[in-house]
Amino acid sequence: MAESGEVLFPSWQAARDQLRKWREDGSKQSDEVLAWGQALITEQRAKLGDELWTIYEQVFIAALDCKQTTAATVYLRELSKKFPGSKRVLLLRGMRLEATELYEEAERLYEQLLTEDPTNASAHKRRLAILKAQGRTVELATGLTKYLKEFMADHDAWLELADVYVANQDYEKAAFCLEEVLMANPHHHLYHLRYAEIRHTMGGVDNLEVARKYYAQSVNLHGSSVRALTGLCLVCSTLCSTARGMSSKSKTDSRKLFGWAGERLVSVYEGQGAGEYQLKAVQAMLDNLSVSDR
């Protein structure tokens, strides 16, 4: 098997392994999953063993993401035949209802699952997904807060709640959510970056100095992050131009970090093959932000 749609891969084993990796990483890649998974199911199902049904579920979810509800219904039907009465399949049925905006029916189905098992975290999260889809942000925040009292280790829920608070400009609570995530995931550069951006947005010397620290840590963990390097340049420039509340040491540190981050930012763009126009734009931004001994 060499090709599925516009997706090229060397063998069915390579396709299977890639689908497995996306599952393990929690990466959706819905278009690719749908193309590769459909080809595997159609052409190589006898070679997949029990993993066939895991791929069925993966492709079902990808089909929903790609708005291909007819294809999703076909895969759901096969899963229902294979696993009659399965609570997991019942949850997938609810997701299919959500995809067609039959939220009340989906809600009743999740309520049934939770009546049978109040600790079913997936059913709780699907109910929260309905609130999000309907734009009921106040109820979503309340629901997420209640959910996290029972499932405190769910960092995806903390991140979702942080997004809700940011949307409502409640940055203090959003920062708290990211702090919870960072305690459990101290080596994930994106969480350091997200926390830095929230503190940066809050403003004030104390918050800006915290933002500087977490931008720097994000870069330390992932040295080619353009977003983190840009944020570090911006916050250092702001700190250097702040007239009050800054120690001379903090200003010196900001100037040094600005110089280092600016050079690193240009280097990253050059390494990515940026053209002359783009490099000039980056340099112009740095020149506009340029700090001095103030």
Side-chain angles (χ1 to χ4, degrees):
M1 179 173 58
E3 190 173 356
S4 174
E6 297 180 354
V7 182
L8 186 69
F9 43 83
S11 67
W12 73 267
Q13 293 97 330
R16 178 203 59 195
D17 292 346
Q18 184 61 67
L19 289 173
R20 189 181 295 165
K21 185 178 187 301
W22 283 329
R23 289 197 303 273
E24 292 170 352
D25 294 344
S27 176
K28 284 192 173 184
Q29 304 293 334
S30 298
D31 290 331
E32 290 84 355
V33 167
L34 187 58
W36 291 27
Q38 284 179 326
L40 278 175
I41 290 170
T42 301
E43 302 170 21
Q44 306 292 338
R45 59 184 297 132
K47 299 178 181 179
L48 296 172
D50 290 340
E51 192 172 356
L52 169 68
W53 303 106
T54 303
I55 293 173
Y56 257 102
E57 180 178 345
Q58 188 178 8
V59 174
F60 164 79
I61 294 171
L64 291 184
D65 288 341
C66 295
K67 311 298 183 185
Q68 294 194 25
T69 52
T70 301
T73 300
V74 171
Y75 294 115
L76 179 60
R77 186 182 302 121
E78 293 300 313
L79 286 164
S80 299
K81 289 178 182 177
K82 178 65 177 179
F83 305 103
S86 165
K87 292 180 180 179
R88 190 179 184 94
V89 174
L90 201 60
L91 193 78
L92 298 179
R93 190 176 300 165
M95 294 172 65
R96 170 68 176 79
L97 291 170
E98 289 180 58
T100 52
E101 299 185 6
L102 296 173
Y103 297 123
E104 291 184 6
E105 291 184 39
E107 177 70 28
R108 286 196 294 270
L109 192 152
Y110 300 143
E111 187 64 38
Q112 175 188 333
L113 287 171
L114 289 169
T115 299
E116 297 173 3
D117 179 12
T119 64
N120 188 327
S122 296
H124 281 293
K125 293 182 79 169
R126 293 317 313 168
R127 293 180 73 183
L128 294 170
I130 291 174
L131 295 176
K132 181 178 180 180
Q134 294 178 321
R136 295 155 63 184
T137 55
V138 174
E139 293 169 80
L140 177 58
T142 301
L144 281 165
T145 301
K146 183 178 179 180
Y147 170 82
L148 284 165
K149 289 179 180 179
E150 300 295 329
F151 304 96
M152 292 186 67
D154 190 336
H155 72 270
D156 286 334
W158 282 111
L159 292 170
E160 185 70 43
L161 184 56
D163 287 342
V164 173
Y165 285 138
V166 167
N168 292 329
Q169 299 184 16
D170 195 341
Y171 299 114
E172 195 70 49
K173 289 181 180 178
F176 174 81
C177 293
L178 263 296
E179 288 164 4
E180 291 290 326
V181 174
L182 281 167
M183 282 194 291
N185 302 272
H187 303 298
H188 198 305
H189 72 98
L190 287 176
Y191 299 154
H192 287 271
L193 173 59
R194 190 76 181 101
Y195 185 63
E197 290 173 336
I198 291 171
R199 287 293 181 185
H200 196 167
T201 302
M202 292 170 71
V205 171
D206 290 344
N207 284 316
L208 292 176
E209 288 182 332
V210 171
R212 181 184 64 190
K213 173 183 175 181
Y214 281 87
Y215 279 131
Q217 180 60 7
S218 181
V219 172
N220 184 49
L221 292 169
H222 185 60
S224 60
S225 172
V226 169
R227 185 168 148 191
L229 286 165
T230 302
L232 186 55
C233 289
L234 289 169
V235 78
C236 286
S237 177
T238 301
L239 284 167
C240 285
S241 65
T242 300
R244 297 181 180 179
M246 285 284 296
S247 68
S248 58
K249 181 181 183 305
S250 185
K251 284 197 174 186
T252 299
D253 290 344
S254 292
R255 281 192 292 272
K256 290 179 178 178
L257 273 173
F258 177 88
W260 175 84
E263 291 178 2
R264 178 64 186 159
L265 185 61
V266 172
S267 176
V268 169
Y269 271 103
E270 288 175 340
Q272 294 176 349
E276 181 181 355
Y277 177 81
Q278 193 171 17
L279 289 173
K280 284 183 178 180
V282 173
Q283 191 59 58
M285 178 198 73
L286 293 172
D287 290 343
N288 287 333
L289 295 173
S290 185
V291 297
S292 59
D293 294 331
R294 287 175 278 186

